Amino acid sequence: MDRPPPYFPQSQLSPPDENRYKKFKAVIALIIIGLIALLGGVGYGVYYLISRLIG
C-alpha cells in the first residue's frame, strides 16, 4: 500500500478561451450600466413622488 496517489492533470483539457477576458469585461460593464440605470430610475421616482406630495 505504498502507492503514490493517482495522477490528476493540472492543465485544462481544452485550450483557454481567447475572448474570456473580453466577455468578462462586457458582463461587468453591462452590470454597471444596469445599476446606474436602476439608481437613476429610483432617484427619478423619489423626485417625482416628492414633487407630487409637495405640489
Side-chain angles (χ1 to χ4, degrees):
M1 297 301 287
D2 285 334
R3 294 187 312 203
Y7 173 71
F8 295 103
Q10 298 297 318
S11 63
Q12 294 179 346
L13 297 177
S14 61
D17 187 10
E18 297 290 329
N19 295 325
R20 181 175 57 190
Y21 186 60
K22 289 181 184 177
K23 291 177 188 175
F24 176 73
K25 286 198 311 186
V27 168
I28 296 299
L30 287 174
I31 290 173
I32 290 173
I33 290 171
L35 287 175
I36 290 173
L38 182 68
L39 288 174
V42 168
Y44 180 75
V46 169
Y47 167 77
Y48 182 76
L49 178 66
I50 290 174
S51 67
R52 292 290 289 181
L53 290 175
I54 291 175

